[in-house]
Amino acid sequence: LNLYAIIMAGGSGTRFWPLSRRRRPKQFLPIISERTMIEETAARLDPLIPTSRIFTIAGADHTRIIRELVPDIPSDNLLVEPRGRNTAPSLLLATAAIYRRDPEAVVAALPADHLIRDGGRFRERLASAAEAAAANDLIVTFGIPPTFPATGYGYIRFSREEPLRAGSADFRRVLEFKEKPDEKRALEFLRAGTYFWNSGMFLWKAKTFARMLETYAPDMFKWWTAMLTALDDGSPAAMTRIFEGIPSISIDYALMEKAEGIVMGEGDFGWSDVGSWSSLSEIWDADDDGNSGRGRLLALDARNCLVFNPNRLTTLIGVEDLVVVETDDALLICRRDQDQEVKTAVQALERADDDDHL
Amino acid sequence: LNLYAIIMAGGSGTRFWPLSRRRRPKQFLPIISERTMIEETAARLDPLIPTSRIFTIAGADHTRIIRELVPDIPSDNLLVEPRGRNTAPSLLLATAAIYRRDPEAVVAALPADHLIRDGGRFRERLASAAEAAAANDLIVTFGIPPTFPATGYGYIRFSREEPLRAGSADFRRVLEFKEKPDEKRALEFLRAGTYFWNSGMFLWKAKTFARMLETYAPDMFKWWTAMLTALDDGSPAAMTRIFEGIPSISIDYALMEKAEGIVMGEGDFGWSDVGSWSSLSEIWDADDDGNSGRGRLLALDARNCLVFNPNRLTTLIGVEDLVVVETDDALLICRRDQDQEVKTAVQALERADDDDHL
């Protein structure tokens, strides 16, 4: 069983503005620990997957940063997506690159910017998932048992029938991928007990992926064969043309929502997609008043605030439920339950052509 | 009529932390305009009082700053209080210094850190008040017509009887000086119509001041004669000993609350003591949502926030009624109605011996 990893590092991560910028989005920042998220993601695979079998895919702009941050990964494995076109095109390209090396390879597609607290358990689950994918010609995904009626995640509905056993884990048949629900639906999903959060992590044998595309996503399969040809020809220009033509869609939409033969393992390894500033409040240690952050904090009658200001003293007086982020050139103060609106602020800066702050 | 000014520049101004620091309190900062408050205070006297008759009094630490900021004032006029001992000792010293030059001099004691919007009207009122003080052997003060039941100011109760006319203004007999009231009392004061805010500005003839002390504050008069002797002897050591022994009390408490023969003019010249960050919201221009400040602001669904962050972009999302102040080494975020608690934060830093931030 030759297990490979594709670390998907193409996200722009505007939700962590002003810390994340075009040149250095979230996956290249030390948000969770002293190391950047992509470093954590690569290190977490050791010793299960050797660096020679770890690939990354990102835009050309970010490939230099990746080389600096994870220098153990061979340069040839740092794949470049000529255009940012969502996850489907980048996973087609990365899987095609691995397919050319070994069609029997099992590929684990892993976002570069997720938190996994229990690395040991993660590798154990990944090994079992790889066994399931290798032996059964299936796509394997990880579902996260929901702890609240989240509206910020997609959901996976799974079957209650007898699970498939592989390695040390059970895998349940996926019945349906669901887009992000509204609050009412999210509550229904939570109560039903058969909906887990979609972690965005997938495993497949390279040749199974090709077959699945051919069967369930023939429009995308055309692009797959074109990519293989471009790789065979060593033609970056051809690949650029492909990325200019291919639809910008997620792998969920392109394949998962249509395919049969997907199973789900339980992602019981302390996962978080760290999707926004406020999500860090579950990750960083808080004081007795619920304040957490990076940097020195003087809190007087302040509660449930999240402060990222590593270089200055922050004094909070009489405030609550704030997200505060300070960088060299920008300060963000946001009500905690509105931190998704950080995107709106970034859009306003884009409209103003304020490249300095983007 | 020889009119002199004493600019009282001894305050420590902790309420404007983190912008104001021990080394540079509020009166030495450009809070209202491009110029510092002490510069504005000195410039406002032109052409009524020539710089040769303007004195300042402050601690030795701040005298160098004063010399830099108001270089037109003769060095001999920059009086040093050997210890910070509240307003009574510093006004005794400054008035004594002027008394030695001319006992008939009329002295206007003016805080260095107040805002006066209408300088022309102020000079007119000051000239009339000086006439009243010179001709009638009285102490003259300015009362500010209250616009809300403030609990942060002292009050002056005045008589409804026929006012004294001097220059172009009326002066009413003061019946009582009142310390800062609670909310209930403040409302009573406002409704009564005979209570104005105590501006902390006073005028007296130097020899009237001496006589008033002798009559109504004999304990302080002893210190006055001791100061005159120390000045005659040119003995800084003697003056230091005086400041080590003299009680640390305000001129209101030492003299005004006890004396007869005080009159009040109406301070109708756009006065504010600029006592806290939130007071600036009445002074700085606000946008349609009530946000005001210094520095570039991107406000999304944010209201009534006051932001001082001249060097960085500030983005506010979904927040209201905040005071935000950013300096090179500190960030303050404070609920607007709790900005008096900034003092508490400063005290916490003092307890922590955090000299860097004080």
Side-chain angles (χ1 to χ4, degrees), chain B residues 39-298:
Chain B
E39 286 175 273
E40 294 282 2
T41 301
R44 187 182 298 132
L45 300 173
D46 181 50
L48 182 64
I49 307 179
T51 50
S52 61
R53 283 196 257 123
I54 298 176
F55 285 67
T56 66
I57 184 154
D61 289 352
H62 294 140
T63 302
R64 191 182 54 77
I65 300 180
I66 294 173
R67 186 171 292 126
E68 283 169 17
L69 292 174
V70 284
D72 294 344
I73 299 177
S75 290
D76 286 351
N77 292 10
L78 309 186
L79 305 174
V80 175
E81 50 186 3
R83 298 282 184 278
R85 304 289 277 165
N86 210 329
T87 50
S90 68
L91 286 173
L92 260 67
L93 170 54
T95 305
I98 295 169
Y99 179 90
R100 291 176 66 243
R101 204 183 280 194
D102 178 3
E104 299 291 329
V106 175
V107 172
L110 306 170
D113 59 350
H114 288 181
L115 166 68
I116 287 167
R117 289 186 188 78
D118 187 342
R121 173 68 63 91
F122 172 69
R123 286 186 294 277
E124 198 182 310
R125 295 302 187 216
L126 203 59
S128 298
E131 280 190 47
N136 299 283
D137 212 25
L138 295 165
I139 290 178
V140 184
T141 183
F142 285 109
I144 312 296
T147 51
F148 66 100
T151 57
Y153 296 135
Y155 285 73
I156 299 169
R157 183 162 72 90
F158 56 88
S159 164
R160 291 190 187 275
E161 69 200 32
E162 190 64 24
L164 170 75
R165 186 81 188 170
S168 62
D170 288 336
F171 296 89
R172 294 177 180 278
R173 195 157 65 84
V174 171
L175 299 176
E176 205 177 356
F177 280 82
K178 290 284 197 183
E179 311 251 331
K180 294 173 187 175
D182 59 22
E183 282 185 39
K184 182 166 162 290
R185 301 267 291 161
L187 202 60
E188 288 167 13
F189 291 173
L190 184 68
R191 285 180 180 149
T194 50
Y195 290 80
F196 278 10
W197 292 335
N198 180 356
S199 71
M201 293 185 279
F202 301 98
L203 290 95
W204 48 65
K205 241 188 323 193
K207 81 175 186 198
T208 304
F209 184 76
R211 186 186 60 73
M212 289 275 196
L213 284 178
E214 189 171 13
T215 308
Y216 301 107
D219 286 352
M220 293 305 281
F221 185 69
K222 289 185 302 187
W223 295 106
W224 163 266
T225 53
M227 284 186 189
L228 283 174
T229 304
L231 290 170
D232 285 340
D233 297 347
S235 167
M239 192 63 82
T240 300
R241 279 194 302 276
I242 289 168
F243 270 77
E244 282 166 353
I246 196 167
S248 179
I249 53 178
S250 69
I251 194 66
D252 299 66
Y253 184 72
L255 182 59
M256 301 301 154
E257 293 177 9
K258 296 164 182 162
E260 304 278 329
I262 307 181
V263 295
M264 182 198 81
E266 185 175 333
D268 55 351
F269 32 65
W271 173 91
S272 168
D273 80 335
V274 197
S276 66
W277 281 112
S278 62
S279 72
L280 292 172
S281 63
E282 296 156 31
I283 296 164
W284 290 344
D285 289 336
D287 67 17
D288 291 345
D289 296 316
N291 302 305
S292 60
R294 292 283 178 273
R296 189 170 151 220
L297 182 64
L298 176 59

Side-chain angles (χ1 to χ4, degrees), chain A residues 254-273:
Chain A
L255 182 58
M256 301 301 154
E257 294 177 8
K258 298 164 181 165
E260 303 277 328
I262 306 180
V263 296
M264 183 199 79
E266 185 176 333
D268 56 351
F269 31 66
W271 173 91
S272 167
D273 80 335

